[in-house]
mmCIF file of all heavy atoms in Angstrom:
data_model
loop_
_atom_site.group_PDB
_atom_site.id
_atom_site.type_symbol
_atom_site.label_atom_id
_atom_site.label_comp_id
_atom_site.label_asym_id
_atom_site.label_seq_id
_atom_site.Cartn_x
_atom_site.Cartn_y
_atom_site.Cartn_z
ATOM 1 N N PHE Z 148 -19.794 -45.904 77.774
ATOM 2 C CA PHE Z 148 -21.114 -45.508 77.823
ATOM 3 C C PHE Z 148 -21.501 -44.678 76.633
ATOM 4 O O PHE Z 148 -22.566 -44.804 76.146
ATOM 5 C CB PHE Z 148 -21.314 -44.656 79.077
ATOM 6 C CG PHE Z 148 -22.620 -44.031 79.324
ATOM 7 C CD1 PHE Z 148 -23.721 -44.833 79.423
ATOM 8 C CD2 PHE Z 148 -22.783 -42.585 79.360
ATOM 9 C CE1 PHE Z 148 -24.986 -44.314 79.535
ATOM 10 C CE2 PHE Z 148 -23.940 -42.114 79.493
ATOM 11 C CZ PHE Z 148 -25.139 -42.887 79.650
ATOM 12 N N THR Z 149 -20.476 -43.887 76.121
ATOM 13 C CA THR Z 149 -20.751 -43.005 74.911
ATOM 14 C C THR Z 149 -21.003 -44.024 73.716
ATOM 15 O O THR Z 149 -21.976 -43.607 72.918
ATOM 16 C CB THR Z 149 -19.554 -42.089 74.676
ATOM 17 O OG1 THR Z 149 -19.365 -41.318 75.814
ATOM 18 C CG2 THR Z 149 -19.789 -41.309 73.471
ATOM 19 N N VAL Z 150 -20.130 -45.025 73.678
ATOM 20 C CA VAL Z 150 -20.454 -45.967 72.538
ATOM 21 C C VAL Z 150 -21.846 -46.567 72.571
ATOM 22 O O VAL Z 150 -22.572 -46.697 71.583
ATOM 23 C CB VAL Z 150 -19.282 -47.084 72.606
ATOM 24 C CG1 VAL Z 150 -19.661 -48.250 71.524
ATOM 25 C CG2 VAL Z 150 -17.984 -46.537 72.311
ATOM 26 N N SER Z 151 -22.224 -46.968 73.761
ATOM 27 C CA SER Z 151 -23.527 -47.573 74.018
ATOM 28 C C SER Z 151 -24.571 -46.485 73.714
ATOM 29 O O SER Z 151 -25.681 -46.765 73.099
ATOM 30 C CB SER Z 151 -23.644 -47.998 75.415
ATOM 31 O OG SER Z 151 -24.883 -48.602 75.723
ATOM 32 N N LEU Z 152 -24.319 -45.271 73.993
ATOM 33 C CA LEU Z 152 -25.371 -44.284 73.689
ATOM 34 C C LEU Z 152 -25.516 -44.137 72.223
ATOM 35 O O LEU Z 152 -26.634 -43.872 71.618
ATOM 36 C CB LEU Z 152 -25.008 -42.905 74.375
ATOM 37 C CG LEU Z 152 -25.186 -42.748 75.854
ATOM 38 C CD1 LEU Z 152 -24.765 -41.325 76.279
ATOM 39 C CD2 LEU Z 152 -26.663 -42.943 76.252
ATOM 40 N N LEU Z 153 -24.525 -44.039 71.499
ATOM 41 C CA LEU Z 153 -24.475 -43.900 69.974
ATOM 42 C C LEU Z 153 -25.215 -45.120 69.456
ATOM 43 O O LEU Z 153 -26.145 -44.952 68.485
ATOM 44 C CB LEU Z 153 -23.073 -43.883 69.411
ATOM 45 C CG LEU Z 153 -22.224 -42.581 69.875
ATOM 46 C CD1 LEU Z 153 -20.861 -42.702 69.275
ATOM 47 C CD2 LEU Z 153 -22.995 -41.368 69.244
ATOM 48 N N LEU Z 154 -24.966 -46.326 69.865
ATOM 49 C CA LEU Z 154 -25.737 -47.588 69.481
ATOM 50 C C LEU Z 154 -27.232 -47.341 69.829
ATOM 51 O O LEU Z 154 -28.091 -47.815 69.051
ATOM 52 C CB LEU Z 154 -25.186 -48.813 70.006
ATOM 53 C CG LEU Z 154 -23.725 -49.168 69.524
ATOM 54 C CD1 LEU Z 154 -23.116 -50.348 70.382
ATOM 55 C CD2 LEU Z 154 -23.746 -49.513 68.028
ATOM 56 N N ALA Z 155 -27.475 -46.828 70.982
ATOM 57 C CA ALA Z 155 -28.905 -46.704 71.385
ATOM 58 C C ALA Z 155 -29.632 -45.624 70.525
ATOM 59 O O ALA Z 155 -30.856 -45.876 70.178
ATOM 60 C CB ALA Z 155 -28.933 -46.271 72.886
ATOM 61 N N PHE Z 156 -28.965 -44.650 70.126
ATOM 62 C CA PHE Z 156 -29.485 -43.605 69.224
ATOM 63 C C PHE Z 156 -29.925 -44.280 67.869
ATOM 64 O O PHE Z 156 -30.965 -44.105 67.326
ATOM 65 C CB PHE Z 156 -28.540 -42.482 69.044
ATOM 66 C CG PHE Z 156 -29.027 -41.419 68.010
ATOM 67 C CD1 PHE Z 156 -29.943 -40.557 68.378
ATOM 68 C CD2 PHE Z 156 -28.433 -41.455 66.777
ATOM 69 C CE1 PHE Z 156 -30.414 -39.583 67.391
ATOM 70 C CE2 PHE Z 156 -28.937 -40.615 65.770
ATOM 71 C CZ PHE Z 156 -29.829 -39.728 66.083
ATOM 72 N N LEU Z 157 -28.964 -44.928 67.342
ATOM 73 C CA LEU Z 157 -29.162 -45.627 66.118
ATOM 74 C C LEU Z 157 -30.373 -46.623 66.160
ATOM 75 O O LEU Z 157 -31.264 -46.743 65.281
ATOM 76 C CB LEU Z 157 -27.921 -46.515 65.615
ATOM 77 C CG LEU Z 157 -26.724 -45.690 65.115
ATOM 78 C CD1 LEU Z 157 -25.449 -46.517 65.058
ATOM 79 C CD2 LEU Z 157 -27.137 -45.099 63.804
ATOM 80 N N LEU Z 158 -30.445 -47.300 67.362
ATOM 81 C CA LEU Z 158 -31.582 -48.247 67.506
ATOM 82 C C LEU Z 158 -32.896 -47.517 67.693
ATOM 83 O O LEU Z 158 -33.922 -47.897 67.046
ATOM 84 C CB LEU Z 158 -31.233 -49.196 68.684
ATOM 85 C CG LEU Z 158 -32.279 -50.293 68.996
ATOM 86 C CD1 LEU Z 158 -32.420 -51.130 67.822
ATOM 87 C CD2 LEU Z 158 -31.860 -50.974 70.306
ATOM 88 N N LYS Z 159 -32.933 -46.454 68.357
ATOM 89 C CA LYS Z 159 -34.065 -45.682 68.583
ATOM 90 C C LYS Z 159 -34.513 -45.128 67.302
ATOM 91 O O LYS Z 159 -35.796 -44.961 67.039
ATOM 92 C CB LYS Z 159 -33.881 -44.530 69.746
ATOM 93 C CG LYS Z 159 -33.828 -45.149 71.052
ATOM 94 C CD LYS Z 159 -33.414 -44.019 72.045
ATOM 95 C CE LYS Z 159 -34.546 -43.015 72.208
ATOM 96 N NZ LYS Z 159 -35.585 -43.569 72.949
ATOM 97 N N PHE Z 160 -33.585 -44.694 66.380
ATOM 98 C CA PHE Z 160 -33.927 -44.118 65.114
ATOM 99 C C PHE Z 160 -34.672 -45.170 64.267
ATOM 100 O O PHE Z 160 -35.688 -45.060 63.652
ATOM 101 C CB PHE Z 160 -32.686 -43.671 64.450
ATOM 102 C CG PHE Z 160 -33.111 -43.398 62.999
ATOM 103 C CD1 PHE Z 160 -33.755 -42.250 62.534
ATOM 104 C CD2 PHE Z 160 -32.680 -44.358 62.060
ATOM 105 C CE1 PHE Z 160 -34.081 -42.132 61.200
ATOM 106 C CE2 PHE Z 160 -33.032 -44.112 60.702
ATOM 107 C CZ PHE Z 160 -33.659 -43.011 60.149
ATOM 108 N N CYS Z 161 -34.045 -46.519 64.319
ATOM 109 C CA CYS Z 161 -34.604 -47.562 63.467
ATOM 110 C C CYS Z 161 -36.054 -47.891 64.009
ATOM 111 O O CYS Z 161 -36.934 -48.033 63.083
ATOM 112 C CB CYS Z 161 -33.733 -48.689 63.574
ATOM 113 S SG CYS Z 161 -32.217 -48.659 62.848
ATOM 114 N N LEU Z 162 -36.263 -47.898 65.273
ATOM 115 C CA LEU Z 162 -37.626 -48.134 65.810
ATOM 116 C C LEU Z 162 -38.648 -47.077 65.415
ATOM 117 O O LEU Z 162 -39.763 -47.367 65.067
ATOM 118 C CB LEU Z 162 -37.565 -48.277 67.336
ATOM 119 C CG LEU Z 162 -36.789 -49.631 67.880
ATOM 120 C CD1 LEU Z 162 -36.650 -49.387 69.416
ATOM 121 C CD2 LEU Z 162 -37.519 -50.806 67.558
ATOM 122 N N ALA Z 163 -38.105 -45.779 65.543
ATOM 123 C CA ALA Z 163 -39.040 -44.726 65.116
ATOM 124 C C ALA Z 163 -39.319 -44.675 63.666
ATOM 125 O O ALA Z 163 -40.359 -44.438 63.189
ATOM 126 C CB ALA Z 163 -38.332 -43.421 65.567
ATOM 127 N N TYR Z 164 -38.267 -45.025 62.898
ATOM 128 C CA TYR Z 164 -38.487 -45.045 61.320
ATOM 129 C C TYR Z 164 -39.475 -46.137 61.025
ATOM 130 O O TYR Z 164 -40.329 -46.003 60.211
ATOM 131 C CB TYR Z 164 -37.073 -45.271 60.754
ATOM 132 C CG TYR Z 164 -37.153 -45.226 59.189
ATOM 133 C CD1 TYR Z 164 -37.242 -44.060 58.500
ATOM 134 C CD2 TYR Z 164 -36.977 -46.436 58.482
ATOM 135 C CE1 TYR Z 164 -37.263 -43.993 57.097
ATOM 136 C CE2 TYR Z 164 -36.933 -46.366 57.188
ATOM 137 C CZ TYR Z 164 -37.107 -45.316 56.357
ATOM 138 O OH TYR Z 164 -37.164 -45.284 55.105
ATOM 139 N N LEU Z 165 -39.292 -47.372 61.617
ATOM 140 C CA LEU Z 165 -40.278 -48.422 61.332
ATOM 141 C C LEU Z 165 -41.627 -48.103 61.796
ATOM 142 O O LEU Z 165 -42.608 -48.469 61.085
ATOM 143 C CB LEU Z 165 -39.661 -49.665 62.127
ATOM 144 C CG LEU Z 165 -38.595 -50.454 61.544
ATOM 145 C CD1 LEU Z 165 -38.016 -51.428 62.386
ATOM 146 C CD2 LEU Z 165 -38.994 -51.050 60.058
ATOM 147 N N GLY Z 166 -41.844 -47.307 62.851
ATOM 148 C CA GLY Z 166 -43.136 -46.928 63.312
ATOM 149 C C GLY Z 166 -43.683 -45.903 62.347
ATOM 150 O O GLY Z 166 -44.927 -45.949 62.001
ATOM 151 N N GLY Z 167 -42.919 -45.023 61.815
ATOM 152 C CA GLY Z 167 -43.441 -44.062 60.776
ATOM 153 C C GLY Z 167 -43.870 -44.813 59.533
ATOM 154 O O GLY Z 167 -44.888 -44.463 58.912
ATOM 155 N N LEU Z 168 -43.191 -45.925 59.092
ATOM 156 C CA LEU Z 168 -43.527 -46.678 57.863
ATOM 157 C C LEU Z 168 -44.857 -47.355 58.118
ATOM 158 O O LEU Z 168 -45.520 -47.577 57.073
ATOM 159 C CB LEU Z 168 -42.455 -47.742 57.645
ATOM 160 C CG LEU Z 168 -41.053 -47.243 57.243
ATOM 161 C CD1 LEU Z 168 -40.195 -48.407 56.874
ATOM 162 C CD2 LEU Z 168 -41.198 -46.331 55.874
ATOM 163 N N LEU Z 169 -45.302 -47.611 59.261
ATOM 164 C CA LEU Z 169 -46.546 -48.262 59.497
ATOM 165 C C LEU Z 169 -47.664 -47.439 59.103
ATOM 166 O O LEU Z 169 -48.835 -47.868 58.769
ATOM 167 C CB LEU Z 169 -46.802 -48.602 61.002
ATOM 168 C CG LEU Z 169 -45.917 -49.795 61.635
ATOM 169 C CD1 LEU Z 169 -46.152 -49.917 63.017
ATOM 170 C CD2 LEU Z 169 -46.202 -51.114 60.776
#
Side-chain angles (χ1 to χ4, degrees):
F148 178 60
T149 300
V150 172
S151 182
L152 282 181
L153 292 175
L154 291 171
F156 174 79
L157 286 166
L158 184 57
K159 286 171 72 69
F160 165 77
C161 290
L162 291 171
Y164 183 74
L165 284 167
L168 291 181
L169 290 177

